[in-house]
Amino acid sequence: MRVLLLYPLFPKSFWSFEKTLELVGRKAMLPPLGLATVAALLPQEWEFKLVDRNVRAVTEAEWEWTEIVIISAMIVQKPDFIAQIEEAKRRGKLVAVGGPYPTALPKEANAAGADFLILDEGELTLPMFVEAIQKGEVSGTFRATEKPDVTSTPIPRFELLDFEAYDNMSIQFSRGCPFQCEFCDIIVLYGRKPRTKSPEQLLAELDRLYELGWRRSVFMVDDNFIGNKRNVRLLLNELKTWMIERNYPFHLNTEASIDLAQDPELMQLMVECNFNAVFLGIETPDEESLAFTKKFQNTRDPLSESVEAITRTGLRVMAGFIIGFDGEKPGAGERIVRFVEQTAIPTALFSMLQALPDTGLWHRLEKEGRLHGKTTAINQTNLMNFVPTRPIETIAREYVDAFWQLYDPMTFLNRTYRHFLMLGVPKHHAPTRPPSWVNVKALLTVCWRQGFVRHTRWQFWRNLFGIIRHNPRVWDGYLAICAHSEHFIEYREIVREQIEAQLAEYLASEAGAKTKIHQEARESAAA
């Protein structure tokens, strides 16, 4: 069986970093780990080709070669996901789909023309699909009622990926999260009992990346890396030895809940394993909103103190923020800006709240009659997909204003500077490798644009010399994050333009609906 594994396009988003990636000649931040894992779970006598459309298009030869197309996608990839199903069907190919989007909204995948729906987690449903193929079946839907034991998951087929195209490689240690945040779909997709691989498994995956020549950053894509702290400690104790023996070949990044700050030993272990950044779901500094959405883990300790503790340990903090919670008070956008500035978090993912399919929020809003009917490709440039408790125009304008302030070039530059001044330095000394010409050219470009061309020029040099003087071992990481401004300068324009256009369309639609109601009322009264 000849299988084309196809990953649809992402729209421009907060994490797409096109302008930043151009500096180092990369095409995408992360590879499609799910499809590489699917290739490892399917019969190994089958032939595979993997095409990430964020890297390149499918060739005519590949379309002709394949017997079946397997597509995996998240909701944000919806437009191209549907387009690729239609293109494959136009060419007479069998199409199988899976991943978070089809699992959450299988009817949409079915309506687009997919033949096979391989839903939930592949360790359980891919064998059902293989059995159907071997029987000669040409359609089917495969679901699982249980969660698989991931200790049996094989090493992903990393060799199918174009290593030169990606800025980071990705691996996964655990699935699931123990918390109950109302808006989060992770507990819907993967459950509230975190399941982990064995330390030996994960080290085998890192060994494979090492053998294939990867020497850049690795993102641990767990939605909450510390969800099972006992197993994480077991992993880190073995990973520390692995890193030392191989002279720290990778920097590691991940995502974790903010209660990480209350475990100094765990943070120190992560730093000793060469973790250098962590993404935190902070969401909002408003404690009432956090409690309302059941994100209780963020209410137990002062958020600003937790961010500082993590930063001083040596983990650069990235964080997510959301506006539009029920019962939210006016000025939420400005409060988020003040919190981000106070804590000096450089990279602050900021979005309007969206109701994701099958979450607690989704079901509550559906029961209250507040969900909009149409599913959109959700990202930072979409209005909310439900009726909020505050006027949507107020939330949208607060959101745009806050996004604009957060990613003002001077504001971002100074916030990044303050963060790296505070950033702890690990005790171990990972090797300093000679920079490639690509990296040297990228750093020179950043210095030219931000240190000569733009109005940030004087502050750029002041800050850079301040870093070299006060925390010299982080200078390269500091400049790398400064380079992110190249993306945000453009992206904040996109956010403002698209949100304002959608808001104008929404308000015009609302005005039209009110006019129609009034017209019908007048006609009824006249009758």
Side-chain angles (χ1 to χ4, degrees):
M1 180 66 67
R2 296 188 300 275
V3 180
L4 176 63
L5 300 158
L6 188 55
Y7 201 51
L9 288 169
F10 281 95
K12 282 191 176 183
S13 73
F14 186 95
W15 293 116
S16 55
F17 286 113
E18 292 91 352
K19 295 295 182 182
T20 307
L21 291 170
E22 284 175 12
L23 296 173
V24 289
R26 311 292 178 210
K27 298 289 187 180
M29 284 295 292
L30 292 167
L33 178 65
L35 284 177
T37 305
V38 166
L41 287 164
L42 290 171
Q44 294 306 285
E45 62 271 19
W46 290 10
E47 298 177 66
F48 301 98
K49 292 186 179 182
L50 192 156
V51 175
D52 180 352
R53 281 183 35 83
N54 301 283
V55 172
R56 66 173 180 85
V58 184
T59 65
E60 283 299 320
E62 285 167 335
W63 279 120
E64 291 177 11
W65 170 86
T66 188
E67 294 177 277
I68 188 164
V69 180
I70 297 180
I71 309 174
S72 176
M74 293 182 277
I75 293 177
V76 70
Q77 296 167 283
K78 174 181 177 177
D80 198 52
F81 171 78
I82 291 172
Q84 294 312 303
I85 292 174
E86 292 172 348
E87 179 64 18
K89 295 310 298 177
R90 186 182 70 80
R91 294 170 177 271
K93 306 296 181 179
L94 284 174
V95 177
V97 299
Y101 173 35
T103 295
L105 297 165
K107 290 181 181 178
E108 293 190 8
N110 198 46
D115 301 296
F116 296 97
L117 274 62
I118 312 169
L119 310 179
D120 304 306
E121 296 181 59
E123 286 87 350
L124 297 179
T125 54
L126 279 166
M128 303 177 196
F129 163 70
V130 171
E131 184 179 357
I133 288 290
Q134 290 171 343
K135 289 179 179 177
E137 296 175 12
V138 293
S139 65
T141 298
F142 312 105
R143 301 220 67 151
T145 56
E146 301 174 353
K147 305 297 181 188
D149 176 359
V150 294
T151 59
S152 62
T153 303
I155 296 172
R157 294 282 301 273
F158 292 121
E159 71 276 9
L160 296 173
L161 303 169
D162 176 4
F163 277 21
E164 289 305 308
Y166 299 102
D167 192 64
N168 283 247
M169 199 45 57
S170 53
I171 58 174
Q172 184 184 57
F173 177 60
S174 68
R175 294 182 202 162
C177 178
F179 299 116
Q180 54 183 337
C181 310
E182 184 190 41
F183 58 86
C184 183
D185 64 345
I186 297 306
I187 54 178
V188 175
L189 293 168
Y190 304 117
R192 288 190 57 198
K193 183 179 179 181
R195 293 159 287 131
T196 72
K197 295 176 180 176
S198 67
E200 295 76 20
Q201 258 182 299
L202 197 82
L203 295 183
E205 294 185 16
L206 291 175
D207 275 330
R208 182 61 178 146
L209 288 174
Y210 187 87
E211 290 165 6
L212 291 169
W214 184 262
R215 292 297 183 274
R216 296 195 298 279
S217 292
V218 175
F219 196 90
M220 198 87 72
V221 300
D222 303 31
D223 294 288
N224 186 358
F225 177 63
I226 64 167
N228 185 324
K229 289 185 180 180
R230 173 190 171 276
N231 287 5
V232 164
R233 280 188 168 82
L234 293 174
L235 168 68
L236 293 177
N237 280 307
E238 296 199 26
L239 177 57
K240 180 180 174 180
T241 302
W242 188 95
M243 282 285 185
I244 293 170
E245 289 174 348
R246 289 158 185 78
N247 208 13
Y248 302 95
F250 315 128
H251 282 297
L252 300 172
N253 307 315
T254 193
E255 181 173 350
S257 48
I258 201 163
D259 57 318
L260 172 65
Q262 310 313 313
D263 197 329
E265 180 192 6
L266 187 55
M267 288 191 289
Q268 189 57 44
L269 259 177
M270 290 175 67
V271 170
E272 290 172 357
C273 290
N274 228 26
F275 279 82
N276 67 353
V278 61
F279 181 90
L280 308 172
I282 292 176
E283 321 314 353
T284 174
D286 296 346
E287 192 165 317
E288 289 180 6
S289 293
L290 290 170
F292 191 87
T293 197
K294 299 181 181 179
K295 201 171 183 81
F296 302 113
Q297 68 271 26
N298 283 26
T299 65
R300 293 170 189 156
D301 297 284
L303 289 170
S304 58
E305 291 179 14
S306 295
V307 171
E308 181 177 346
I310 293 169
T311 306
R312 291 195 181 281
T313 301
L315 296 167
R316 174 173 57 85
V317 171
M318 306 171 279
F321 295 89
I322 296 173
I323 191 171
F325 290 107
D326 278 6
E328 187 176 71
K329 293 173 181 159
E334 189 57 41
R335 289 193 295 277
I336 286 172
V337 171
R338 284 201 304 269
F339 180 86
V340 172
E341 283 296 301
Q342 174 195 349
T343 53
I345 299 170
T347 310
L349 169 62
F350 189 33
S351 306
M352 281 192 277
L353 182 63
Q354 303 287 346
L356 298 175
D358 217 24
T359 58
L361 177 64
W362 174 280
H363 289 300
R364 178 170 65 80
L365 295 173
E366 187 175 46
K367 186 177 179 180
E368 294 171 4
R370 294 167 55 198
L371 270 181
H372 294 319
K374 188 178 179 182
T375 306
T376 57
I378 294 167
N379 72 27
Q380 295 78 38
T381 55
N382 291 118
L383 288 178
M384 303 161 81
N385 62 351
F386 65 93
V387 180
T389 56
R390 287 202 289 155
I392 184 65
E393 56 267 35
T394 302
I395 296 172
R397 285 170 183 145
E398 283 188 19
Y399 170 66
V400 170
D401 289 346
F403 206 106
W404 195 260
Q405 291 180 64
L406 285 170
Y407 291 103
D408 171 80
M410 187 71 81
T411 301
F412 180 74
L413 181 68
N414 285 331
R415 193 167 69 240
T416 301
Y417 173 65
R418 296 197 311 275
H419 189 81
F420 275 83
L421 279 183
M422 182 171 44
L423 188 65
V425 176
K427 294 177 182 177
H428 68 270
H429 286 271
T432 302
R433 297 184 177 87
S436 66
W437 166 241
V438 169
N439 289 336
V440 171
K441 184 180 176 183
L443 288 176
L444 291 174
T445 302
V446 170
C447 290
W448 171 251
R449 291 177 184 174
Q450 298 182 24
F452 291 96
V453 176
R454 299 198 187 116
H455 71 284
T456 56
R457 61 182 71 89
W458 298 114
Q459 198 62 44
F460 175 84
W461 294 112
R462 283 192 201 99
N463 290 359
L464 181 56
F465 290 135
I467 288 291
I468 292 171
R469 180 182 176 187
H470 298 293
N471 203 1
R473 283 182 60 191
V474 304
W475 74 269
D476 52 344
Y478 167 72
L479 281 177
I481 302 306
C482 286
H484 290 181
S485 186
E486 302 303 309
H487 168 63
F488 291 126
I489 286 172
E490 177 189 50
Y491 191 61
R492 70 175 187 155
E493 293 273 5
I494 293 171
V495 168
R496 183 167 70 175
E497 289 172 8
Q498 294 195 18
I499 292 296
E500 288 181 349
Q502 289 178 55
L503 182 60
E505 183 181 342
Y506 172 83
L507 293 175
S509 174
E510 287 290 293
K514 288 178 182 177
T515 300
K516 183 179 179 182
I517 290 170
H518 291 156
Q519 178 69 27
E520 290 174 350
R522 285 195 296 270
E523 289 174 358
S524 178

